[in-house]
Amino acid sequence: MRHGVLILPEHRWVRARERWVLAEELGFDHAWTYDHLMWRWFSDKPWFAAVPTLAAAAGATSRIALGTLVASPNFRHPVNFAKELLSLDDISGGRIVCGVGAGAEGYDSRIRNDPQLSRGMRAARFGEFVELLDGLLREERTTFRGDWYTVEDVVVKPECLAAPRLPLAVAAAGPRGMALAARHADIWVTSGAPNMFESERYDRVVPLLKEQLAELDRACVAQGRDPAGLRRLLLTGGSVGGVLESVESWRDASGMLEDAGFTDLVVHWPRPDFPFEGREDVLYEFAAAAGLGKDGTR
C-alpha cells in the first residue's frame, strides 16, 4: 500500500512549505492538493492556486510524488493545462501526477458565468478532456476535433520526463467514467460515494468500494486491459471517515483496503476545525509505526 496526504492550499507559502517538506520527511509516497478556483467551505477564506503551489512544492522537495486531486474541465482547457503540467514535470524532475475529474456543479462552474451542464454533458466533456490531454502529453503534435474541444496542430515539447507521459489519475464512479479510466488512466481514483460529504466509517464503506472495484475490473476487461496494471487510489476524509481517528484505525483501514484491492490510500492533512478535523500527531505516529522512511522505503 502506498500512502499519501492531501494538503489544502489554504496557507501562505511560508507555512505551507513546512507541510509539503514534512510530508516528504515523514516518508509519504505522494502529496496532493485540490485544484479549484474556490471550494465549497472555503469560498470566503484564503485559497491558493494549485499549479504554482505544486511548482513551489517541487522546488522544496526531492523525492515525493506531487499531484492534483483533482483538476477538472470546469475551468481547465487541455492545451493550457498540458503546458502547465509539462512545466511542472520538468521542475519536479518527473514527479508530477495529474489527477483529473469530471467536475461537479459548484463554485468553479458558476463563478465565471459558464452555462450549467447536465450530468451527461459533463461526462461527455470529461471524456474529450481526458482523451485530448492524454494525447497532448504523449505526442509532439496534436490535432483533435470533438464536440467540446477542437485544436489544430498543437505542439507540446519537450516530451515528459516519464515515458510515455506523466501519470494520469482519473476519478470515476460510474460505468462511463470507469471505461474512461480503463482506457487512459495509470491510477483510478475514488472517494467512495460520489460527491458526498457525509462521512461514514471506512469499514462500512468497504462493500460499496468493492462494488466499484469490480466495476473497474469489468471495464478493464472490456477495454482489453489487464486490471492488474491499473493502480487504485482511495481519497478518505469526505464520505470515507474514521481513518485518522488513531494509528490503530489507520493501520486497520490500510489492511482492510489493501485486501479489497486498493494500492494507494490518501488522507487529508488534519485541520484544527471543520472540515477534516483531526490531530497532526496521528500523521507522525503512523509514519513511525508503519515504517515510512525519509527515503521513501518501507
Side-chain angles (χ1 to χ4, degrees):
M1 179 71 79
R2 299 177 180 89
H3 293 276
V5 61
L6 192 146
I7 302 171
L8 295 184
E10 58 178 319
H11 298 297
R12 292 189 183 277
W13 183 245
V14 67
R15 181 178 177 188
R17 183 184 187 279
E18 297 175 355
R19 293 189 172 182
W20 290 91
V21 171
L22 185 55
E24 178 168 85
E25 291 179 344
L26 289 172
F28 284 98
D29 298 286
H30 31 69
W32 310 79
T33 197
Y34 286 150
D35 185 30
H36 294 285
L37 296 175
M38 301 165 69
W39 189 64
R40 59 182 69 235
W41 298 304
F42 287 78
S43 61
D44 59 349
K45 297 180 181 180
W47 192 263
F48 292 94
V51 169
T53 293
L54 290 172
T61 59
S62 61
R63 173 197 60 80
I64 194 168
L66 307 167
T68 54
L69 205 61
V70 290
S72 85
N74 270 343
F75 66 92
R76 292 289 184 191
H77 188 285
V79 172
N80 304 63
F81 196 33
K83 291 283 190 176
E84 292 178 330
L85 288 168
L86 183 65
S87 301
L88 288 174
D89 180 65
D90 184 63
I91 293 167
S92 68
R95 292 183 287 128
I96 294 298
V97 182
C98 174
V100 292
E105 290 185 11
Y107 294 107
D108 290 349
S109 65
R110 292 198 302 264
I111 59 179
R112 303 187 311 173
N113 201 32
D114 293 332
Q116 293 301 293
L117 305 179
S118 67
R119 181 177 298 180
M121 294 168 72
R122 290 198 303 271
R125 181 183 64 173
F126 185 46
E128 288 192 12
F129 180 86
V130 173
E131 182 181 355
L132 177 53
L133 185 62
D134 190 355
L136 287 164
L137 292 172
R138 287 179 184 270
E139 306 296 335
E140 182 175 314
R141 291 181 180 272
T142 301
T143 294
F144 183 93
R145 296 181 179 89
D147 295 325
W148 296 92
Y149 303 102
T150 297
V151 303
E152 187 74 32
D153 199 28
V154 176
V155 177
V156 178
K157 57 185 304 185
E159 67 278 358
C160 293
L161 293 176
R165 54 140 172 77
L166 58 84
L168 280 181
V170 176
R176 194 170 179 177
M178 296 284 195
L180 186 68
R183 287 196 301 273
H184 297 283
D186 301 282
I187 307 170
W188 166 70
V189 177
T190 183
S191 57
N195 299 318
M196 293 292 291
F197 287 88
E198 294 184 5
S199 181
E200 189 166 8
R201 187 176 166 84
Y202 60 85
D203 51 347
R204 297 177 181 174
V205 184
V206 167
L208 168 65
L209 297 175
K210 286 184 176 180
E211 291 177 5
Q212 291 182 341
L213 289 164
E215 180 67 32
L216 182 68
D217 286 346
R218 289 190 289 269
C220 286
V221 171
Q223 296 293 325
R225 178 176 186 175
D226 181 1
L230 182 60
R231 286 165 56 187
R232 296 112 193 279
L233 182 152
L234 174 65
L235 173 63
T236 67
S239 64
V240 181
V243 176
L244 281 179
E245 288 180 358
S246 66
V247 172
E248 291 72 24
S249 63
W250 195 341
R251 191 195 298 273
D252 181 56
S254 298
M256 191 176 298
L257 294 165
E258 186 172 13
D259 288 343
F262 283 93
T263 61
D264 297 77
L265 178 62
V266 177
V267 299
H268 287 78
W269 194 287
R271 304 180 67 257
D273 52 22
F274 179 86
F276 315 123
E277 185 175 0
R279 304 188 337 264
E280 286 191 5
D281 59 299
V282 175
L283 286 181
Y284 315 145
E285 292 171 6
F286 176 80
L292 306 187
K294 287 189 176 183
D295 60 355
T297 60
R298 299 291 185 268

